[in-house]
Every structure is written in structure tokens, then in C-alpha cells.
Amino acid sequence: MAEEYLYGVTLNGEKNTEVWDPEPKNDESDSNQHFGVDQKLIIKMALLGPEAKAGELNVLQVEAMGLKGPIKIPIALLEMGKTSQIILDLSFPDPPVTFTLIKGSGPVHIVGHNLLATHMDEFEDMEDEEVEVDNFDDDDDEKDPEDEDEEDDEPKKKKNKVGAPPKNNKPANKNQNQIQNQKKK
């Protein structure tokens, strides 16, 4: 079953780096209660604390595993009085993820959620169940065969009316008569 927990960390001048790494370590003192559980970190927002210095640029960087290897890139530029918060939608399925305040003294708060599942395949199973529920009531979709014949006839009749030539081929006025006579000659 999937579980979701609030994730939050604060970076400032004293503590400018934080690592999210839920993987169990070989250290016996580490009591990771979620051993054997797949985890995913989703970051939703970065914001300055109210005690941030006005006019000071704060640059938040993330280092994580990308498709072709490790990626180290800034994800937020925050300045009190200009941009004090930014909405993010970042997903990190592979730990470790390192957040670093590479410029400024903060504090910068990073907010998101930690998604836990016994197996990530469980999410696919949940999607499959939703599809089954959508197709559960097929009885209402069945139609009487006689009704289908009637529906098929109606569009054909409309097509014939639209495509049929006008019954009256006579021109509406004398000018049209003269034009048609000239074309014949």
C-alpha cells in the first residue's frame, strides 16, 4: 500500500547542504523502519524564511541521478522582496538527492512529500483497477438491434437530402438566363 509523508528541510548559512537518502546503510545503529520499501521524493515548493536578508540572492541547487548520469543544476533563485517563493514540481525516484544553498545565507525552506510503496508496481495496479471500474457496467451500453437499424437509416436520409440536385433548374432572373444562353453558344 502506498503511503505519503510531508518532507521539509531548511538550508541556511550554517547548514547549507541536505541529503535525502532513504537507502539503508550498513551501520547497525541506523534503524530505517522503511527497509525494503520503494521511495520517491517529490518537491513542490522552495521559499525564503521571513528572516532572509533583503536584496540578497539565494541560489538553491540540486544534485541527483539523471537518465545519463548525475546532474547538478540550480532549481531556484530567491530574493526577499522580489521572489520569495517558487512553485516546483520535481520528482526524484532515485536517491541520493542533495540540496545545496550555493549562494546566500537563507533560510530557504524546501517542501514536498516522500512517497512510500512496498513496490512501485503497486501504482500501476491501482491504475488497472480504475480502468476495470470504468468498464464494469457494460449492460447500459447494449442497444436493441432494431434501434441500431433506425439510427443507421436516419443519417443516410440526411445525406441524400443534402447531396440531391435542386428540383427547379430554372434561373431566378433574366440575367442568369442570358448568361446560360451565352454559355450554350
Side-chain angles (χ1 to χ4, degrees):
M1 184 170 170
E3 297 177 38
E4 189 172 321
Y5 295 95
L6 177 67
Y7 176 82
V9 64
T10 300
L11 302 178
N12 57 35
E14 299 165 5
K15 182 184 174 199
N16 67 350
T17 299
E18 178 70 26
V19 177
W20 176 75
D21 190 1
E23 296 293 317
K25 306 288 184 256
N26 292 334
D27 185 8
E28 291 181 23
S29 65
D30 184 17
S31 60
N32 189 343
Q33 65 180 354
H34 301 294
F35 180 75
V37 174
D38 292 326
Q39 297 193 38
K40 182 177 188 178
L41 181 64
I42 299 173
I43 299 299
K44 293 298 203 177
M45 178 183 290
L47 61 137
L48 287 173
E51 60 272 23
K53 296 176 187 172
E56 180 183 58
L57 182 64
N58 292 271
V59 180
L60 177 62
Q61 176 180 280
V62 68
E63 184 175 359
M65 185 56 69
L67 184 60
K68 296 182 180 181
I71 296 174
K72 187 186 271 190
I73 191 162
I75 58 170
L77 301 170
L78 303 168
E79 186 176 341
M80 186 58 81
K82 291 185 179 179
T83 307
S84 58
Q85 67 180 8
I86 185 167
I87 303 296
L88 301 168
D89 191 15
L90 302 173
S91 176
F92 301 101
D94 299 318
V97 177
T98 304
F99 298 99
T100 306
L101 184 59
I102 60 172
K103 185 174 183 182
S105 57
V108 174
H109 305 285
I110 304 167
V111 182
H113 53 269
N114 192 358
L115 198 58
L116 307 175
T118 52
H119 301 288
M120 287 299 189
D121 294 338
E122 181 178 323
F123 297 112
E124 293 173 12
D125 293 342
M126 289 173 21
E127 290 174 4
D128 291 343
E129 288 175 12
E130 289 175 8
V131 170
E132 290 175 11
V133 170
D134 291 343
N135 294 329
F136 182 72
D137 192 14
D138 289 338
D139 294 339
D140 294 340
D141 294 339
E142 293 180 13
K143 295 182 179 179
D144 188 16
E146 292 176 12
D147 291 343
E148 287 179 12
D149 291 340
E150 290 174 11
E151 288 176 8
D152 290 342
D153 291 342
E154 287 178 21
K156 289 178 185 176
K157 289 177 186 176
K158 289 179 183 176
K159 287 180 184 176
N160 289 340
K161 287 181 183 177
V162 170
K167 293 180 182 179
N168 186 2
N169 289 336
K170 295 180 182 177
N173 60 37
K174 285 185 179 182
N175 290 337
Q176 288 179 344
N177 273 337
Q178 291 173 353
I179 294 171
Q180 284 183 354
N181 288 335
Q182 288 176 356
K183 287 182 183 177
K184 290 179 184 178
K185 294 180 182 179

